[in-house]
Amino acid sequence: MAKRLKAGDKIPAFSYDTPYEPQKSFYGFLQGDKPVVLVFLPNFGHPITRHFITQYLETIYALRSVRLACVVRSRPETIAKAAPKGSLPFELICDAEGALYDYFQIPQKHGMLRCYSLDGMRIIKQARQQGYSPAKNELNQLPLTLVLNEGGQVLFAHYGHSMTDLPADCSAMERVAQELSLPAQAQPEQPEVAEPQPETFGGFEQPDQGALTEEELMAALEENKAFEARQAAQEETGEPETDRQPEPQPVPQAEEPQPEQAWTAAPESSAYPPQEAPQEPQEPTEAPQEPVEPLPASVWRGKMIYSPDHVPVKVDFSALGFGGDKN
């Protein structure tokens, strides 16, 4: 029976196709030393999917506590044209008919204003410049992010409120795993008890932090103009502000007489002026720091640090084109 997943649920066993192997067991894939982050995306040719797949490829080495698997609404043979076998460092599940999307009640919505954030609009704008043209009255597939243990139990579940409300990259997935305090090694003899994620989790996108309404913005502008006009009038007339109170001046205090100090003669010396005795050189208190060898320049890629032998993975999306629901 279809249901909306939450932490503590257990997903049913199913088989799936990848672009390279048919009918693989999902529970067989879960049997590993690390939990799995399962991300549901639109079809593989959609601009949103292209953007996030590229981000995951570029930051895949940030994953240390979990493994990654992505679900797309595309046919396996279509993806094989753009990503040959061995080009993807994570599992890609093909669900062209949307069976898993329907079973887990992942919503679809009409209208860009209801489904796209500012980041999503930017991604779509760039895609339109490259030839993307969405179909009229197209249903937009919203995302779902799950974290599953080896027994198929849901440790974390988040239904995206927009098409970009999902982990931005693998670093974000790793942060979620650290918040869940996932074990480094799986322990079959001790079944894990899922801890539900906090109810205050608001999604992967940054919420709007108190943005002004149009009325509030216009009122603030008018108030600022009035303040500047008052300042200009005061500078012309040279009159001080009427509403500013003069600062109180401190009351001068009488100085107490200081007792006289007794005069003493300086010690006699044959040298004039008197010379100070030479001081012994002092040893430095801090030990000298050894120079740190810089990392090879090839390992720095943006904010990520990769191993020196890392080779970036590229997917030829141009061979795929902007596909429809099943492309």
Side-chain angles (χ1 to χ4, degrees):
M1 181 179 179
K3 62 180 301 184
R4 189 179 176 93
L5 293 173
K6 62 182 184 299
D9 292 341
K10 189 172 182 179
I11 66 173
F14 61 89
S15 299
Y16 63 92
D17 295 338
T18 72
Y20 325 107
E21 297 181 55
Q23 294 301 295
K24 294 184 65 175
S25 170
F26 185 70
Y27 267 69
F29 172 70
L30 291 177
Q31 302 305 311
D33 58 344
K34 299 176 183 178
V36 173
V37 176
L38 188 63
V39 181
F40 287 78
L41 297 161
N43 65 77
F44 198 75
H46 196 281
I48 297 294
T49 305
R50 292 186 176 197
H51 171 80
F52 284 99
I53 289 292
T54 302
Q55 294 298 315
Y56 298 162
L57 289 173
E58 293 179 353
T59 60
I60 188 64
Y61 287 93
L63 291 182
R64 302 182 184 275
S65 306
V66 290
R67 295 176 291 152
L68 173 62
C70 294
V71 186
V72 293
R73 302 191 67 151
S74 302
R75 294 189 177 94
E77 62 273 14
T78 304
I79 300 177
K81 302 176 185 178
K85 187 175 183 180
S87 61
L88 296 176
F90 49 82
E91 193 79 344
L92 192 63
I93 300 174
C94 300
D95 184 14
E97 303 301 329
L100 295 175
Y101 294 79
D102 294 339
Y103 188 87
F104 297 138
Q105 296 185 0
I106 309 176
Q108 294 178 303
K109 292 183 179 180
H110 285 287
M112 296 184 63
L113 295 179
R114 299 180 59 193
C115 304
Y116 285 93
S117 63
L118 292 178
D119 286 340
M121 297 293 290
R122 176 180 54 81
I123 295 170
I124 294 299
K125 180 180 179 181
Q126 294 176 353
R128 283 177 170 171
Q129 294 174 355
Q130 300 173 4
Y132 172 67
S133 180
K136 189 176 181 179
N137 297 325
E138 178 184 17
L139 275 173
N140 299 299
Q141 179 64 63
L142 298 183
L144 168 63
T145 304
L146 302 174
V147 179
L148 308 168
N149 64 10
E150 64 177 3
Q153 193 174 37
V154 179
L155 306 178
F156 174 88
H158 177 67
Y159 286 80
H161 301 290
S162 72
M163 295 189 71
T164 52
D165 189 8
L166 68 159
D169 51 26
C170 294
S171 299
M173 301 179 194
E174 183 64 24
R175 288 194 295 270
V176 171
Q178 293 174 0
E179 290 292 334
L180 294 175
S181 301
L182 299 177
Q185 298 290 336
Q187 301 178 2
E189 65 276 4
Q190 297 180 359
E192 301 174 0
V193 179
E195 298 181 1
Q197 71 265 25
E199 296 180 358
T200 57
F201 182 77
F204 293 98
E205 295 178 321
Q206 295 294 331
D208 186 8
Q209 300 293 337
L212 295 176
T213 62
E214 183 177 356
E215 293 78 6
E216 293 172 335
L217 179 60
M218 295 303 296
L221 290 175
E222 292 296 333
E223 182 179 353
N224 185 64
K225 290 181 181 179
F227 176 77
E228 293 178 351
R230 289 198 303 270
Q231 279 190 331
Q234 291 168 3
E235 291 178 357
E236 293 178 357
T237 58
E239 297 179 357
E241 297 182 8
T242 57
D243 55 348
R244 177 176 297 179
Q245 298 295 332
E247 298 181 358
Q249 299 295 331
V251 179
Q253 298 181 358
E255 296 183 357
E256 298 181 358
Q258 299 293 335
E260 296 184 359
Q261 297 181 354
W263 180 85
T264 56
E268 295 182 358
S269 174
S270 59
Y272 185 85
Q275 299 180 357
E276 297 180 356
Q279 298 181 357
E280 298 181 358
Q282 299 180 356
E283 298 182 357
T285 56
E286 297 183 358
Q289 298 181 356
E290 298 181 358
V292 180
E293 297 183 0
L295 292 174
S298 60
V299 304
W300 289 91
R301 304 266 171 80
K303 297 182 180 179
M304 291 301 305
I305 303 178
Y306 297 94
S307 58
D309 57 348
H310 168 61
V311 178
V313 181
K314 299 294 184 181
V315 177
D316 185 15
F317 285 107
S318 62
L320 180 64
F322 292 103
D325 292 340
K326 299 181 181 180
N327 293 331

